[in-house]
Amino acid sequence: MAANGWQRRRIWAVLATTAALGLTVTQAQAASGGSSKPFGVRELREQALLHQQKGLSAFAETGKDGGDNEGEEIAEQADQYAEARTSPGIVAPGAYGAAYDALSTLPHTTGSWSELTKLPYDSDDPRYRDVNSNSSGGAGKVTGRVTGLAADNHGYVYAGSANGGVFRSSTGGGHWTNISDRLPALSTGDLQLDGRGRLWYATGEANTSATSFLGTGVYVLDNPRYGSFSKRDRVGGDELESTSINALRFGGDKVWAATTRGVWSHSTRTLTGAWKLEFAPNPDYLPGGSKASDPSAAYKNITSDVAIDPKDPSKVVLAAGWRGGDTYNGFYAEGKNGWERLNGLGELPTKSDDVGNVTFARSADGSRYYAIDQSPAQTASNPDSGLDGIFVSKSGSPTGPWTKIADYKQLRDSGSALTGSGYQPGIQSWYDQFLTVDPKNPDHVYAGLEEVFETKDGGKNWTVPGPYWNFGFPCWSIDPTKQTGDCNQTVHADQHSVATGSNGGQPYVVVGDDGGAFRRPLNGSADASGHATDWTSLNDGTMDALQYYSVGVGIDQASRGLSVSGGLQDNGQSILRPGDRVMGSNFGGDGGDTIVDPANGCNIAAEYVYLAVSVTQNCAVNDGSWTTDPSKATTYSVAPPDNATNEARFIAPLNADIKDANTWVAGGRHVWINTKGWAIRSGSEWSGAYDLGAGHTATAVASSGGKVYAAWCGPCNNQGFTRGIAVGNADGTGWHQLNLPADGTVPNRYLSGLAIDPADSNHVLLAVNGFSRKWTEGPGAGVGHLFETRDGGATWKDVSGNLPDVPANSVVLLKNGTVALGTDLGVLVRPAGSSTWKVAGENLPTTAVLQLRTGPDGRLYAATHGRGIWAIDVRSLC
């Protein structure tokens, strides 16, 4: 039987590590006790430690299991994040704009939010060199994903973050200031400076493909060095709302936008008037079309880039296609009969199976065009890479002829850290891509995949100035007195954006990835392996673009202050302790849900993904010895069984009983109970309380005094979406499925949050994600975002009131009776005794708040997915 996704990740990691250590698979299994069961990062690092102790070569972990997330995990993350907001259908343009307008009419409560994470976050912090962390990998100080970059020749750099907006630096990077907080959307698709020095901001992050729900169009800032964006800066109308924009390209007096709903254009001289739809491969699937309600509609009009002939801007080539493959995938140019598929481009493939995600870049002198192409066929069939190749058109024309100048094997052999079977350069090329050409040298190119690649001779030879990480290189060691042994700093993994600029006549390149922004001289220095010696992290804490899924707060026993932890997209778990000037990272990879002991902030349960839970009782502080001795270990893997069977959501729910901090509930296909709290040491110590059913998986769990509620979905995508709620006791008794009638009392949408009244476990609040039926084309979408039961779920009432129609993610019932709701546009509250909603406090950015939790200090904590962790005094919310 074929391995499932989770097993494939682990199998690949085993093979990669055994190859790096010069062992056979049989030897590796023997070293682990002869087991054939795939194992993850903790076991891999334990094996590495054993081999190091025997005097073998330094550990070469080229895998991602437990490190930075890999292609399958990113795809699953993107799809599941989208599912919560789009199921049971697709979202029509205008949804977020309308929600923002409605929110703008609401009054605010008193009080202001405090930003807790606006300080550097060191992924290589030597305090936390536990076996489950990535510390010493070499990325250094990081922040959230940077998906758009622009730079000028006067030291100004503009960075667009995944869901935190646009930041400006006047010092070549660092000392950032946000310039987009007055916009309704803070998700970045692209950033471009035009010939007049104007900054164009395309909203709607392109990297999540089908998650086209955060964009509200394109904005232009006339004087980006001093101004900031506002709603009046939008180009055109609402045509590009609720879409993702992959790229903006300029030619003549036009700007072209490659979006998930076709290619559009607009005049660059007159910014009013509607955008023109130039080409949609399957227009019937667009909103309002005859097939708009089809489950596959979101995937039928995806375009990734536009190439414009520098000699004739009327000649344009469009790259269209879903990364997974479709019959419409290919390159298009305008002909006698409109837009026609191109053939005969030389070595650049044109078959639909071979054209996926594409990035173009042209040289300043017009003599070269370059392209990266991801192949859907190879992505599906080749376990090593989905990259078809990197290509050049030496005529400078986007119609070629094109020549292949690199494939994944050539890039692998050029100094890559990704050399193991199952994970080689381009394995995530549907997600990781950038290209740029040195303005003064058309043969000098930077290409971004998982790593940063460089050629100075037009592709004859390649180097890797920015390897994935330093694990596995001879220069690396775990020495806690050094950042990463004798290696130089590298960049974070997973490249998305790039820009070239200069300051004081000194040119540089800036790259954006899952860890923020990094800079080096355009013609920088490198060691003998081609790895750069001169990267500078630009993540000094002033660009707090951290993408949190969760937050947990507890008292620090040493200082009696507070310790704040949280799980992050591709940046592990952060920890901020009293007196810290730099946050540390004590768990690697993706950080999911979190439980922190309110009485002891060093008691932490941290989820990786799919319920891969680990616990620590000392904040995972470690001296760098990577010990595997159970009596000296600082973390313990305690994943419930649904992790091994891949029957949990990518970010699965994990919660503690509100009356007993040592009783935990975890949700996958099953509802799992742990009654040992932080003393748990094995995944076998969870007990199965209830089976939600085949194909069902938990989306939210809550417990009070042993009474447990578990919301679920299954299928969770648009194809037959269903949802439900199960109720029972932690001891496994009394379980039953609630009857959620089909009359829309509780909408057929994603159930994302549960809050139980501590005074009455039959009184529960339910948060519902997605948009109401006005915006969602799908069966049973219903109306409302907050529902209440006072009889244990037998009946429900819509208590949304004047709540804006915006996806709701988390709900908290505060001690004073106030209800707090975390939404995609911030935090809303309904004071006790009131039926109307207010915006919670002042100065919280309008970004997605994925989790709300109260702390032992009486404050409400908000984990935002793009602007860090914030807190506010609950008393101000009354």
Side-chain angles (χ1 to χ4, degrees), residues 455-514:
T455 179
K456 293 185 177 182
D457 55 14
K460 295 177 183 178
N461 297 281
W462 291 87
T463 59
V464 190
Y468 190 91
W469 52 17
N470 288 319
F471 295 127
F473 295 135
C475 55
W476 175 83
S477 77
I478 193 62
D479 187 347
T481 66
K482 299 179 180 180
Q483 180 202 33
T484 174
D486 294 317
C487 298
N488 292 286
Q489 179 181 332
T490 185
V491 297
H492 195 286
D494 301 331
Q495 310 307 312
H496 303 294
S497 55
V498 64
T500 59
S502 65
N503 193 6
Q506 301 299 313
Y508 47 70
V509 62
V510 183
V511 302
D513 52 39
D514 274 12

Side-chain angles (χ1 to χ4, degrees), residues 504-867:
Q506 301 299 313
Y508 47 70
V509 62
V510 183
V511 302
D513 52 39
D514 274 12
F518 300 80
R519 185 191 68 219
R520 74 181 293 236
L522 188 58
N523 288 283
S525 60
D527 62 19
S529 299
H531 304 147
T533 61
D534 47 12
W535 285 110
T536 297
S537 169
L538 304 180
N539 310 305
D540 57 5
T542 57
M543 179 167 53
D544 183 7
L546 292 166
Q547 296 171 263
Y548 282 95
Y549 290 111
S550 62
V551 59
V553 186
I555 296 172
D556 183 81
Q557 293 295 302
S559 66
R560 306 307 298 173
L562 288 176
S563 177
V564 181
S565 295
L568 288 151
Q569 190 277 327
D570 212 9
N571 283 295
Q573 288 265 340
S574 73
I575 182 165
L576 174 62
R577 303 180 70 181
D580 277 357
R581 295 185 179 180
V582 176
M583 290 193 298
S585 177
N586 52 1
F587 293 90
D590 276 279
D593 221 334
T594 305
I595 300 176
V596 174
D597 185 350
N600 185 346
C602 276
N603 285 341
I604 304 167
E607 180 192 18
Y608 167 37
V609 291
Y610 304 107
L611 283 182
V613 181
S614 294
V615 298
T616 179
Q617 291 192 273
N618 76 332
C619 287
V621 173
N622 187 274
D623 62 4
S625 63
W626 277 14
T627 180
T628 59
D629 183 344
S631 66
K632 299 178 181 179
T634 55
T635 62
Y636 306 87
S637 296
V638 296
D642 280 355
N643 166 252
T645 57
N646 204 30
E647 293 183 289
R649 300 284 285 171
F650 180 81
I651 301 298
L654 179 68
N655 219 333
D657 190 286
I658 60 176
K659 291 185 176 180
D660 181 3
N662 286 313
T663 295
W664 302 350
V665 182
R669 168 179 167 170
H670 303 82
V671 178
W672 298 98
I673 305 295
N674 161 38
T675 58
K676 294 186 176 181
W678 289 271
I680 188 173
R681 292 294 180 266
S682 168
S684 64
E685 296 177 84
W686 292 88
S687 61
Y690 186 66
D691 185 347
L692 294 172
H696 296 170
T697 181
T699 59
V701 295
S703 176
S704 177
K707 185 168 186 178
V708 183
Y709 293 80
W712 55 265
C713 64
C716 297
N717 58 28
N718 297 347
Q719 298 177 338
F721 178 86
T722 61
R723 84 292 179 254
I725 301 174
V727 183
N729 299 314
D731 63 5
T733 63
W735 279 92
H736 60 284
Q737 294 280 357
L738 296 181
N739 179 25
L740 298 182
D743 62 4
T745 302
V746 176
N748 186 40
R749 303 202 312 270
Y750 190 92
L751 309 180
S752 52
L754 291 161
I756 305 175
D757 185 344
D760 180 3
S761 61
N762 288 317
H763 180 205
V764 182
L765 294 170
L766 170 68
V768 180
N769 213 290
F771 288 94
S772 294
R773 62 183 175 220
K774 176 180 180 180
W775 302 107
T776 302
E777 299 184 28
V783 175
H785 292 276
L786 186 67
F787 295 81
E788 182 177 41
T789 181
R790 292 184 177 273
D791 53 17
T795 61
W796 294 87
K797 179 181 179 182
D798 184 353
V799 292
S800 304
N802 67 327
L803 188 70
D805 187 3
V806 61
N809 304 304
S810 179
V811 61
V812 171
L813 182 61
L814 303 174
K815 289 182 179 180
N816 58 15
T818 295
V819 177
L821 193 67
T823 77
D824 274 6
L825 294 177
V827 180
L828 298 168
V829 296
R830 189 187 68 194
S834 174
S835 60
T836 60
W837 292 86
K838 297 181 179 181
V839 178
E842 301 288 347
N843 75 302
L844 182 70
T846 50
T847 190
V849 175
L850 296 193
Q851 190 173 85
L852 293 173
R853 277 195 171 144
T854 54
D857 58 344
R859 292 198 293 176
L860 178 67
Y861 289 79
T864 78
H865 199 66
R867 289 295 290 276

Side-chain angles (χ1 to χ4, degrees), residues 249-256 265 278 306-318 334 339 362 369 396 398:
R249 302 295 185 186
F250 300 92
D253 295 331
K254 272 187 179 182
V255 59
W256 296 74
S265 73
E278 294 278 1
V306 177
I308 303 170
D309 193 318
K311 301 179 180 67
D312 184 354
S314 68
K315 295 180 179 179
V316 178
V317 172
L318 313 179
E334 203 162 17
W339 292 95
R362 72 184 184 193
Y369 238 112

